[in-house]
PDB file of all heavy atoms in Angstrom:
ATOM      1  N   HIS A   1     -12.441 -15.367   7.957  1.00 94.00           N
ATOM      2  CA  HIS A   1     -12.877 -16.292   6.878  1.00 94.00           C
ATOM      3  C   HIS A   1     -14.003 -15.640   6.026  1.00 94.00           C
ATOM      4  O   HIS A   1     -14.037 -15.908   4.806  1.00 94.00           O
ATOM      5  CB  HIS A   1     -13.514 -17.492   7.566  1.00 94.00           C
ATOM      6  CG  HIS A   1     -12.520 -18.344   8.395  1.00 94.00           C
ATOM      7  ND1 HIS A   1     -12.307 -18.131   9.720  1.00 94.00           N
ATOM      8  CD2 HIS A   1     -11.696 -19.298   7.975  1.00 94.00           C
ATOM      9  CE1 HIS A   1     -11.472 -18.992  10.116  1.00 94.00           C
ATOM     10  NE2 HIS A   1     -11.058 -19.749   9.116  1.00 94.00           N
ATOM     11  N   ALA A   2     -14.649 -14.574   6.577  1.00 92.00           N
ATOM     12  CA  ALA A   2     -15.718 -13.919   5.698  1.00 92.00           C
ATOM     13  C   ALA A   2     -14.936 -13.116   4.632  1.00 92.00           C
ATOM     14  O   ALA A   2     -15.518 -12.941   3.440  1.00 92.00           O
ATOM     15  CB  ALA A   2     -16.457 -13.047   6.594  1.00 92.00           C
ATOM     16  N   TYR A   3     -13.744 -12.578   4.936  1.00 94.00           N
ATOM     17  CA  TYR A   3     -12.933 -11.963   3.950  1.00 94.00           C
ATOM     18  C   TYR A   3     -12.404 -12.715   2.788  1.00 94.00           C
ATOM     19  O   TYR A   3     -12.412 -12.298   1.607  1.00 94.00           O
ATOM     20  CB  TYR A   3     -11.845 -11.074   4.726  1.00 94.00           C
ATOM     21  CG  TYR A   3     -12.527  -9.963   5.552  1.00 94.00           C
ATOM     22  CD1 TYR A   3     -13.194 -10.235   6.691  1.00 94.00           C
ATOM     23  CD2 TYR A   3     -12.601  -8.619   5.108  1.00 94.00           C
ATOM     24  CE1 TYR A   3     -13.686  -9.289   7.458  1.00 94.00           C
ATOM     25  CE2 TYR A   3     -13.163  -7.696   5.865  1.00 94.00           C
ATOM     26  CZ  TYR A   3     -13.803  -8.001   6.982  1.00 94.00           C
ATOM     27  OH  TYR A   3     -14.353  -7.013   7.732  1.00 94.00           O
ATOM     28  N   VAL A   4     -11.925 -13.903   3.215  1.00 95.00           N
ATOM     29  CA  VAL A   4     -11.448 -14.820   2.215  1.00 95.00           C
ATOM     30  C   VAL A   4     -12.537 -15.273   1.284  1.00 95.00           C
ATOM     31  O   VAL A   4     -12.417 -15.350   0.134  1.00 95.00           O
ATOM     32  CB  VAL A   4     -10.547 -15.989   2.828  1.00 95.00           C
ATOM     33  CG1 VAL A   4     -10.311 -16.983   1.723  1.00 95.00           C
ATOM     34  CG2 VAL A   4      -9.470 -15.367   3.609  1.00 95.00           C
ATOM     35  N   ASP A   5     -13.667 -15.669   1.928  1.00 94.00           N
ATOM     36  CA  ASP A   5     -14.802 -16.137   1.145  1.00 94.00           C
ATOM     37  C   ASP A   5     -15.369 -15.125   0.031  1.00 94.00           C
ATOM     38  O   ASP A   5     -15.451 -15.383  -1.076  1.00 94.00           O
ATOM     39  CB  ASP A   5     -15.873 -16.631   2.062  1.00 94.00           C
ATOM     40  CG  ASP A   5     -15.516 -17.753   2.865  1.00 94.00           C
ATOM     41  OD1 ASP A   5     -14.624 -18.606   2.527  1.00 94.00           O
ATOM     42  OD2 ASP A   5     -16.336 -17.895   3.854  1.00 94.00           O
ATOM     43  N   ALA A   6     -15.492 -13.943   0.649  1.00 94.00           N
ATOM     44  CA  ALA A   6     -16.212 -12.875  -0.274  1.00 94.00           C
ATOM     45  C   ALA A   6     -15.010 -12.179  -1.125  1.00 94.00           C
ATOM     46  O   ALA A   6     -15.262 -11.974  -2.388  1.00 94.00           O
ATOM     47  CB  ALA A   6     -16.828 -11.828   0.540  1.00 94.00           C
ATOM     48  N   ASN A   7     -13.941 -11.904  -0.577  1.00 96.00           N
ATOM     49  CA  ASN A   7     -12.977 -11.008  -1.273  1.00 96.00           C
ATOM     50  C   ASN A   7     -12.001 -11.659  -2.168  1.00 96.00           C
ATOM     51  O   ASN A   7     -11.472 -11.179  -3.187  1.00 96.00           O
ATOM     52  CB  ASN A   7     -12.299 -10.071  -0.253  1.00 96.00           C
ATOM     53  CG  ASN A   7     -13.277  -9.073   0.387  1.00 96.00           C
ATOM     54  OD1 ASN A   7     -14.301  -9.137   0.399  1.00 96.00           O
ATOM     55  ND2 ASN A   7     -12.525  -8.242   1.417  1.00 96.00           N
ATOM     56  N   ILE A   8     -11.668 -12.932  -1.827  1.00 97.00           N
ATOM     57  CA  ILE A   8     -10.747 -13.728  -2.526  1.00 97.00           C
ATOM     58  C   ILE A   8     -11.435 -14.688  -3.405  1.00 97.00           C
ATOM     59  O   ILE A   8     -11.387 -14.646  -4.607  1.00 97.00           O
ATOM     60  CB  ILE A   8      -9.718 -14.545  -1.687  1.00 97.00           C
ATOM     61  CG1 ILE A   8      -9.044 -13.461  -0.741  1.00 97.00           C
ATOM     62  CG2 ILE A   8      -8.837 -15.277  -2.619  1.00 97.00           C
ATOM     63  CD1 ILE A   8      -8.089 -12.416  -1.500  1.00 97.00           C
ATOM     64  N   THR A   9     -12.269 -15.621  -2.847  1.00 97.00           N
ATOM     65  CA  THR A   9     -12.976 -16.619  -3.649  1.00 97.00           C
ATOM     66  C   THR A   9     -13.965 -15.968  -4.503  1.00 97.00           C
ATOM     67  O   THR A   9     -14.107 -16.331  -5.743  1.00 97.00           O
ATOM     68  CB  THR A   9     -13.676 -17.699  -2.700  1.00 97.00           C
ATOM     69  OG1 THR A   9     -12.702 -18.242  -1.902  1.00 97.00           O
ATOM     70  CG2 THR A   9     -14.355 -18.773  -3.579  1.00 97.00           C
ATOM     71  N   GLY A  10     -14.722 -15.024  -4.014  1.00 97.00           N
ATOM     72  CA  GLY A  10     -15.655 -14.270  -4.906  1.00 97.00           C
ATOM     73  C   GLY A  10     -15.125 -13.631  -6.062  1.00 97.00           C
ATOM     74  O   GLY A  10     -15.685 -13.612  -7.165  1.00 97.00           O
ATOM     75  N   PHE A  11     -14.040 -13.020  -5.807  1.00 98.00           N
ATOM     76  CA  PHE A  11     -13.353 -12.333  -6.869  1.00 98.00           C
ATOM     77  C   PHE A  11     -12.765 -13.190  -7.928  1.00 98.00           C
ATOM     78  O   PHE A  11     -12.940 -12.966  -9.117  1.00 98.00           O
ATOM     79  CB  PHE A  11     -12.182 -11.349  -6.348  1.00 98.00           C
ATOM     80  CG  PHE A  11     -11.709 -10.440  -7.336  1.00 98.00           C
ATOM     81  CD1 PHE A  11     -12.441  -9.525  -8.123  1.00 98.00           C
ATOM     82  CD2 PHE A  11     -10.265 -10.300  -7.583  1.00 98.00           C
ATOM     83  CE1 PHE A  11     -11.929  -8.731  -9.073  1.00 98.00           C
ATOM     84  CE2 PHE A  11      -9.647  -9.495  -8.367  1.00 98.00           C
ATOM     85  CZ  PHE A  11     -10.521  -8.657  -9.267  1.00 98.00           C
ATOM     86  N   LEU A  12     -12.341 -14.360  -7.481  1.00 98.00           N
ATOM     87  CA  LEU A  12     -11.791 -15.281  -8.510  1.00 98.00           C
ATOM     88  C   LEU A  12     -12.964 -15.777  -9.419  1.00 98.00           C
ATOM     89  O   LEU A  12     -12.712 -15.873 -10.691  1.00 98.00           O
ATOM     90  CB  LEU A  12     -11.260 -16.569  -7.708  1.00 98.00           C
ATOM     91  CG  LEU A  12     -10.909 -17.723  -8.657  1.00 98.00           C
ATOM     92  CD1 LEU A  12      -9.813 -17.319  -9.485  1.00 98.00           C
ATOM     93  CD2 LEU A  12     -10.379 -18.953  -7.767  1.00 98.00           C
ATOM     94  N   HIS A  13     -14.113 -15.968  -8.870  1.00 98.00           N
ATOM     95  CA  HIS A  13     -15.286 -16.393  -9.713  1.00 98.00           C
ATOM     96  C   HIS A  13     -15.651 -15.240 -10.696  1.00 98.00           C
ATOM     97  O   HIS A  13     -16.050 -15.570 -11.847  1.00 98.00           O
ATOM     98  CB  HIS A  13     -16.497 -16.695  -8.711  1.00 98.00           C
ATOM     99  CG  HIS A  13     -16.164 -17.976  -7.944  1.00 98.00           C
ATOM    100  ND1 HIS A  13     -16.932 -18.245  -6.936  1.00 98.00           N
ATOM    101  CD2 HIS A  13     -15.187 -18.812  -8.024  1.00 98.00           C
ATOM    102  CE1 HIS A  13     -16.404 -19.357  -6.264  1.00 98.00           C
ATOM    103  NE2 HIS A  13     -15.365 -19.743  -6.998  1.00 98.00           N
ATOM    104  N   VAL A  14     -15.531 -14.061 -10.277  1.00 98.00           N
ATOM    105  CA  VAL A  14     -15.800 -12.820 -11.227  1.00 98.00           C
ATOM    106  C   VAL A  14     -14.761 -12.892 -12.313  1.00 98.00           C
ATOM    107  O   VAL A  14     -15.063 -12.699 -13.535  1.00 98.00           O
ATOM    108  CB  VAL A  14     -15.818 -11.549 -10.440  1.00 98.00           C
ATOM    109  CG1 VAL A  14     -15.817 -10.397 -11.367  1.00 98.00           C
ATOM    110  CG2 VAL A  14     -16.987 -11.376  -9.457  1.00 98.00           C
ATOM    111  N   LEU A  15     -13.488 -13.058 -12.038  1.00 98.00           N
ATOM    112  CA  LEU A  15     -12.491 -12.947 -12.979  1.00 98.00           C
ATOM    113  C   LEU A  15     -12.675 -14.134 -13.999  1.00 98.00           C
ATOM    114  O   LEU A  15     -12.530 -14.022 -15.110  1.00 98.00           O
ATOM    115  CB  LEU A  15     -10.975 -13.251 -12.281  1.00 98.00           C
ATOM    116  CG  LEU A  15     -10.589 -12.006 -11.521  1.00 98.00           C
ATOM    117  CD1 LEU A  15      -9.297 -12.403 -10.692  1.00 98.00           C
ATOM    118  CD2 LEU A  15     -10.053 -10.932 -12.508  1.00 98.00           C
ATOM    119  N   GLU A  16     -12.994 -15.297 -13.490  1.00 98.00           N
ATOM    120  CA  GLU A  16     -13.208 -16.505 -14.365  1.00 98.00           C
ATOM    121  C   GLU A  16     -14.418 -16.182 -15.204  1.00 98.00           C
ATOM    122  O   GLU A  16     -14.336 -16.635 -16.430  1.00 98.00           O
ATOM    123  CB  GLU A  16     -13.393 -17.730 -13.531  1.00 98.00           C
ATOM    124  CG  GLU A  16     -12.196 -18.368 -13.008  1.00 98.00           C
ATOM    125  CD  GLU A  16     -11.443 -19.109 -14.212  1.00 98.00           C
ATOM    126  OE1 GLU A  16     -11.843 -20.176 -14.569  1.00 98.00           O
ATOM    127  OE2 GLU A  16     -10.457 -18.414 -14.714  1.00 98.00           O
ATOM    128  N   GLY A  17     -15.397 -15.632 -14.758  1.00 98.00           N
ATOM    129  CA  GLY A  17     -16.550 -15.340 -15.485  1.00 98.00           C
ATOM    130  C   GLY A  17     -16.280 -14.385 -16.675  1.00 98.00           C
ATOM    131  O   GLY A  17     -16.656 -14.506 -17.848  1.00 98.00           O
ATOM    132  N   CYS A  18     -15.477 -13.309 -16.325  1.00 98.00           N
ATOM    133  CA  CYS A  18     -14.968 -12.412 -17.343  1.00 98.00           C
ATOM    134  C   CYS A  18     -14.259 -13.020 -18.289  1.00 98.00           C
ATOM    135  O   CYS A  18     -14.262 -12.725 -19.560  1.00 98.00           O
ATOM    136  CB  CYS A  18     -14.169 -11.196 -16.658  1.00 98.00           C
ATOM    137  SG  CYS A  18     -15.204 -10.166 -15.570  1.00 98.00           S
ATOM    138  N   ARG A  19     -13.314 -13.884 -17.971  1.00 98.00           N
ATOM    139  CA  ARG A  19     -12.336 -14.646 -18.865  1.00 98.00           C
ATOM    140  C   ARG A  19     -13.126 -15.445 -19.889  1.00 98.00           C
ATOM    141  O   ARG A  19     -12.689 -15.349 -21.089  1.00 98.00           O
ATOM    142  CB  ARG A  19     -11.448 -15.476 -17.986  1.00 98.00           C
ATOM    143  CG  ARG A  19     -10.626 -16.420 -18.928  1.00 98.00           C
ATOM    144  CD  ARG A  19      -9.834 -17.401 -17.818  1.00 98.00           C
ATOM    145  NE  ARG A  19      -9.213 -18.470 -18.801  1.00 98.00           N
ATOM    146  CZ  ARG A  19      -8.648 -19.646 -18.274  1.00 98.00           C
ATOM    147  NH1 ARG A  19      -8.769 -19.764 -16.887  1.00 98.00           N
ATOM    148  NH2 ARG A  19      -8.114 -20.505 -19.056  1.00 98.00           N
ATOM    149  N   HIS A  20     -14.067 -16.200 -19.388  1.00 98.00           N
ATOM    150  CA  HIS A  20     -14.689 -17.224 -20.267  1.00 98.00           C
ATOM    151  C   HIS A  20     -15.864 -16.673 -21.055  1.00 98.00           C
ATOM    152  O   HIS A  20     -16.401 -17.359 -21.986  1.00 98.00           O
ATOM    153  CB  HIS A  20     -15.127 -18.416 -19.433  1.00 98.00           C
ATOM    154  CG  HIS A  20     -13.964 -19.210 -18.951  1.00 98.00           C
ATOM    155  ND1 HIS A  20     -13.093 -19.887 -19.817  1.00 98.00           N
ATOM    156  CD2 HIS A  20     -13.603 -19.403 -17.668  1.00 98.00           C
ATOM    157  CE1 HIS A  20     -12.151 -20.429 -19.001  1.00 98.00           C
ATOM    158  NE2 HIS A  20     -12.556 -20.157 -17.807  1.00 98.00           N
ATOM    159  N   HIS A  21     -16.275 -15.387 -20.713  1.00 97.00           N
ATOM    160  CA  HIS A  21     -17.439 -14.883 -21.520  1.00 97.00           C
ATOM    161  C   HIS A  21     -17.379 -13.598 -22.159  1.00 97.00           C
ATOM    162  O   HIS A  21     -18.196 -12.836 -22.324  1.00 97.00           O
ATOM    163  CB  HIS A  21     -18.661 -14.824 -20.435  1.00 97.00           C
ATOM    164  CG  HIS A  21     -19.109 -16.121 -19.946  1.00 97.00           C
ATOM    165  ND1 HIS A  21     -19.814 -17.078 -20.661  1.00 97.00           N
ATOM    166  CD2 HIS A  21     -18.708 -16.874 -18.710  1.00 97.00           C
ATOM    167  CE1 HIS A  21     -19.992 -18.068 -19.985  1.00 97.00           C
ATOM    168  NE2 HIS A  21     -19.330 -18.063 -18.903  1.00 97.00           N
ATOM    169  N   GLY A  22     -16.103 -13.225 -22.495  1.00 96.00           N
ATOM    170  CA  GLY A  22     -15.806 -12.135 -23.402  1.00 96.00           C
ATOM    171  C   GLY A  22     -15.979 -10.761 -22.894  1.00 96.00           C
ATOM    172  O   GLY A  22     -16.385  -9.936 -23.616  1.00 96.00           O
ATOM    173  N   VAL A  23     -15.872 -10.532 -21.577  1.00 98.00           N
ATOM    174  CA  VAL A  23     -16.149  -9.236 -20.996  1.00 98.00           C
ATOM    175  C   VAL A  23     -15.103  -8.238 -21.461  1.00 98.00           C
ATOM    176  O   VAL A  23     -14.007  -8.625 -21.560  1.00 98.00           O
ATOM    177  CB  VAL A  23     -16.226  -9.386 -19.449  1.00 98.00           C
ATOM    178  CG1 VAL A  23     -16.152  -8.031 -18.862  1.00 98.00           C
ATOM    179  CG2 VAL A  23     -17.384 -10.141 -19.000  1.00 98.00           C
ATOM    180  N   GLY A  24     -15.613  -7.115 -21.890  1.00 98.00           N
ATOM    181  CA  GLY A  24     -14.591  -6.098 -22.461  1.00 98.00           C
ATOM    182  C   GLY A  24     -13.787  -5.293 -21.593  1.00 98.00           C
ATOM    183  O   GLY A  24     -12.846  -4.714 -21.961  1.00 98.00           O
ATOM    184  N   HIS A  25     -14.327  -5.274 -20.289  1.00 98.00           N
ATOM    185  CA  HIS A  25     -13.534  -4.392 -19.263  1.00 98.00           C
ATOM    186  C   HIS A  25     -14.182  -4.820 -17.808  1.00 98.00           C
ATOM    187  O   HIS A  25     -15.357  -4.813 -17.647  1.00 98.00           O
ATOM    188  CB  HIS A  25     -13.825  -2.919 -19.549  1.00 98.00           C
ATOM    189  CG  HIS A  25     -12.793  -2.015 -18.854  1.00 98.00           C
ATOM    190  ND1 HIS A  25     -13.021  -0.687 -18.512  1.00 98.00           N
ATOM    191  CD2 HIS A  25     -11.657  -2.340 -18.075  1.00 98.00           C
ATOM    192  CE1 HIS A  25     -12.087  -0.138 -17.854  1.00 98.00           C
ATOM    193  NE2 HIS A  25     -11.252  -1.180 -17.465  1.00 98.00           N
ATOM    194  N   LEU A  26     -13.232  -5.029 -17.060  1.00 98.00           N
ATOM    195  CA  LEU A  26     -13.635  -5.190 -15.510  1.00 98.00           C
ATOM    196  C   LEU A  26     -13.101  -4.136 -14.655  1.00 98.00           C
ATOM    197  O   LEU A  26     -11.921  -3.860 -14.662  1.00 98.00           O
ATOM    198  CB  LEU A  26     -13.086  -6.551 -15.067  1.00 98.00           C
ATOM    199  CG  LEU A  26     -13.082  -6.741 -13.528  1.00 98.00           C
ATOM    200  CD1 LEU A  26     -14.489  -6.814 -12.878  1.00 98.00           C
ATOM    201  CD2 LEU A  26     -12.334  -8.068 -13.178  1.00 98.00           C
ATOM    202  N   VAL A  27     -14.050  -3.421 -14.094  1.00 98.00           N
ATOM    203  CA  VAL A  27     -13.654  -2.428 -13.037  1.00 98.00           C
ATOM    204  C   VAL A  27     -13.845  -3.066 -11.616  1.00 98.00           C
ATOM    205  O   VAL A  27     -15.066  -3.358 -11.484  1.00 98.00           O
ATOM    206  CB  VAL A  27     -14.397  -1.120 -13.263  1.00 98.00           C
ATOM    207  CG1 VAL A  27     -14.181  -0.025 -12.327  1.00 98.00           C
ATOM    208  CG2 VAL A  27     -14.002  -0.576 -14.688  1.00 98.00           C
ATOM    209  N   PHE A  28     -12.959  -2.946 -10.849  1.00 98.00           N
ATOM    210  CA  PHE A  28     -13.241  -3.578  -9.504  1.00 98.00           C
ATOM    211  C   PHE A  28     -12.650  -2.616  -8.354  1.00 98.00           C
ATOM    212  O   PHE A  28     -11.815  -1.794  -8.450  1.00 98.00           O
ATOM    213  CB  PHE A  28     -12.593  -4.899  -9.295  1.00 98.00           C
ATOM    214  CG  PHE A  28     -10.973  -4.817  -9.248  1.00 98.00           C
ATOM    215  CD1 PHE A  28     -10.163  -4.713  -8.043  1.00 98.00           C
ATOM    216  CD2 PHE A  28     -10.310  -4.801 -10.540  1.00 98.00           C
ATOM    217  CE1 PHE A  28      -8.850  -4.681  -8.193  1.00 98.00           C
ATOM    218  CE2 PHE A  28      -8.825  -4.713 -10.576  1.00 98.00           C
ATOM    219  CZ  PHE A  28      -8.102  -4.621  -9.344  1.00 98.00           C
ATOM    220  N   ALA A  29     -13.409  -2.633  -7.155  1.00 98.00           N
ATOM    221  CA  ALA A  29     -13.052  -1.867  -6.079  1.00 98.00           C
ATOM    222  C   ALA A  29     -11.903  -2.448  -5.333  1.00 98.00           C
ATOM    223  O   ALA A  29     -11.943  -3.494  -4.792  1.00 98.00           O
ATOM    224  CB  ALA A  29     -14.239  -1.968  -5.119  1.00 98.00           C
ATOM    225  N   SER A  30     -10.889  -1.577  -5.216  1.00 98.00           N
ATOM    226  CA  SER A  30      -9.865  -1.781  -4.176  1.00 98.00           C
ATOM    227  C   SER A  30     -10.007  -0.823  -3.203  1.00 98.00           C
ATOM    228  O   SER A  30     -11.160  -0.401  -2.908  1.00 98.00           O
ATOM    229  CB  SER A  30      -8.450  -1.675  -4.932  1.00 98.00           C
ATOM    230  OG  SER A  30      -7.489  -1.974  -3.995  1.00 98.00           O
ATOM    231  N   SER A  31      -9.132  -0.374  -2.364  1.00 96.00           N
ATOM    232  CA  SER A  31      -9.256   0.408  -1.148  1.00 96.00           C
ATOM    233  C   SER A  31      -7.998   1.004  -0.846  1.00 96.00           C
ATOM    234  O   SER A  31      -6.838   0.643  -1.094  1.00 96.00           O
ATOM    235  CB  SER A  31      -9.617  -0.482   0.037  1.00 96.00           C
ATOM    236  OG  SER A  31      -9.696   0.316   1.234  1.00 96.00           O
ATOM    237  N   SER A  32      -8.106   2.386  -0.142  1.00 96.00           N
ATOM    238  CA  SER A  32      -6.962   2.896   0.400  1.00 96.00           C
ATOM    239  C   SER A  32      -6.235   2.151   1.463  1.00 96.00           C
ATOM    240  O   SER A  32      -5.172   2.368   1.882  1.00 96.00           O
ATOM    241  CB  SER A  32      -7.433   4.345   0.879  1.00 96.00           C
ATOM    242  OG  SER A  32      -8.391   4.111   1.916  1.00 96.00           O
ATOM    243  N   SER A  33      -6.942   1.178   2.023  1.00 95.00           N
ATOM    244  CA  SER A  33      -6.394   0.263   2.958  1.00 95.00           C
ATOM    245  C   SER A  33      -5.192  -0.482   2.384  1.00 95.00           C
ATOM    246  O   SER A  33      -4.350  -0.917   3.397  1.00 95.00           O
ATOM    247  CB  SER A  33      -7.411  -0.647   3.458  1.00 95.00           C
ATOM    248  OG  SER A  33      -8.497  -0.084   4.175  1.00 95.00           O
ATOM    249  N   VAL A  34      -5.024  -0.619   1.170  1.00 97.00           N
ATOM    250  CA  VAL A  34      -3.858  -1.260   0.677  1.00 97.00           C
ATOM    251  C   VAL A  34      -2.630  -0.556   0.992  1.00 97.00           C
ATOM    252  O   VAL A  34      -1.482  -1.184   0.950  1.00 97.00           O
ATOM    253  CB  VAL A  34      -3.886  -1.513  -0.899  1.00 97.00           C
ATOM    254  CG1 VAL A  34      -5.109  -2.287  -1.284  1.00 97.00           C
ATOM    255  CG2 VAL A  34      -3.783  -0.214  -1.582  1.00 97.00           C
ATOM    256  N   TYR A  35      -2.683   0.762   1.307  1.00 97.00           N
ATOM    257  CA  TYR A  35      -1.426   1.462   1.619  1.00 97.00           C
ATOM    258  C   TYR A  35      -0.737   1.059   2.914  1.00 97.00           C
ATOM    259  O   TYR A  35       0.305   1.375   3.248  1.00 97.00           O
ATOM    260  CB  TYR A  35      -1.642   2.996   1.432  1.00 97.00           C
ATOM    261  CG  TYR A  35      -1.893   3.430   0.124  1.00 97.00           C
ATOM    262  CD1 TYR A  35      -3.111   3.621  -0.466  1.00 97.00           C
ATOM    263  CD2 TYR A  35      -0.698   3.620  -0.756  1.00 97.00           C
ATOM    264  CE1 TYR A  35      -3.351   4.083  -1.701  1.00 97.00           C
ATOM    265  CE2 TYR A  35      -1.010   3.912  -2.135  1.00 97.00           C
ATOM    266  CZ  TYR A  35      -2.207   4.176  -2.496  1.00 97.00           C
ATOM    267  OH  TYR A  35      -2.411   4.577  -3.934  1.00 97.00           O
ATOM    268  N   GLY A  36      -1.670   0.610   3.792  1.00 95.00           N
ATOM    269  CA  GLY A  36      -1.152  -0.038   5.120  1.00 95.00           C
ATOM    270  C   GLY A  36      -0.196   0.887   5.789  1.00 95.00           C
ATOM    271  O   GLY A  36      -0.397   2.021   6.285  1.00 95.00           O
ATOM    272  N   ALA A  37       1.015   0.272   6.074  1.00 95.00           N
ATOM    273  CA  ALA A  37       2.084   1.067   6.818  1.00 95.00           C
ATOM    274  C   ALA A  37       2.669   2.127   6.120  1.00 95.00           C
ATOM    275  O   ALA A  37       3.538   2.781   6.714  1.00 95.00           O
ATOM    276  CB  ALA A  37       3.099  -0.057   7.261  1.00 95.00           C
ATOM    277  N   ASN A  38       2.452   2.420   4.866  1.00 95.00           N
ATOM    278  CA  ASN A  38       2.905   3.514   4.102  1.00 95.00           C
ATOM    279  C   ASN A  38       2.815   4.859   4.856  1.00 95.00           C
ATOM    280  O   ASN A  38       1.566   5.055   5.241  1.00 95.00           O
ATOM    281  CB  ASN A  38       2.445   3.556   2.707  1.00 95.00           C
ATOM    282  CG  ASN A  38       2.963   2.523   1.696  1.00 95.00           C
ATOM    283  OD1 ASN A  38       3.306   1.418   2.186  1.00 95.00           O
ATOM    284  ND2 ASN A  38       2.857   2.779   0.461  1.00 95.00           N
ATOM    285  N   ARG A  39       3.771   5.672   4.886  1.00 93.00           N
ATOM    286  CA  ARG A  39       3.516   6.988   5.541  1.00 93.00           C
ATOM    287  C   ARG A  39       3.925   8.132   4.587  1.00 93.00           C
ATOM    288  O   ARG A  39       3.903   9.256   5.010  1.00 93.00           O
ATOM    289  CB  ARG A  39       4.259   7.053   6.818  1.00 93.00           C
ATOM    290  CG  ARG A  39       3.808   6.147   7.957  1.00 93.00           C
ATOM    291  CD  ARG A  39       2.647   6.704   8.730  1.00 93.00           C
ATOM    292  NE  ARG A  39       1.403   7.186   7.996  1.00 93.00           N
ATOM    293  CZ  ARG A  39       0.509   6.275   7.566  1.00 93.00           C
ATOM    294  NH1 ARG A  39       0.534   4.943   7.880  1.00 93.00           N
ATOM    295  NH2 ARG A  39      -0.518   6.767   6.869  1.00 93.00           N
ATOM    296  N   LYS A  40       4.332   7.763   3.414  1.00 96.00           N
ATOM    297  CA  LYS A  40       4.658   8.923   2.365  1.00 96.00           C
ATOM    298  C   LYS A  40       3.409   9.342   1.913  1.00 96.00           C
ATOM    299  O   LYS A  40       2.517   8.607   1.345  1.00 96.00           O
ATOM    300  CB  LYS A  40       5.510   8.271   1.302  1.00 96.00           C
ATOM    301  CG  LYS A  40       5.860   9.176   0.178  1.00 96.00           C
ATOM    302  CD  LYS A  40       6.412   8.451  -1.047  1.00 96.00           C
ATOM    303  CE  LYS A  40       6.520   9.445  -2.084  1.00 96.00           C
ATOM    304  NZ  LYS A  40       7.029   8.638  -3.410  1.00 96.00           N
ATOM    305  N   LEU A  41       3.088  10.650   2.167  1.00 96.00           N
ATOM    306  CA  LEU A  41       1.912  11.249   1.779  1.00 96.00           C
ATOM    307  C   LEU A  41       2.122  12.369   0.677  1.00 96.00           C
ATOM    308  O   LEU A  41       3.116  12.973   0.553  1.00 96.00           O
ATOM    309  CB  LEU A  41       1.180  11.896   2.845  1.00 96.00           C
ATOM    310  CG  LEU A  41       0.785  11.011   4.115  1.00 96.00           C
ATOM    311  CD1 LEU A  41       0.314  11.754   5.247  1.00 96.00           C
ATOM    312  CD2 LEU A  41      -0.273   9.997   3.502  1.00 96.00           C
TER     313      LEU A  41
END
């Protein structure tokens, strides 16, 4: 639940803030963990 609260809900609030307040560029942290089961190196 900590991951959904911080990483999903929290990020949605950041996106909404950027959308409604004219932010010129959003840079966000993803992770090498997204590659998951990929084994092509």
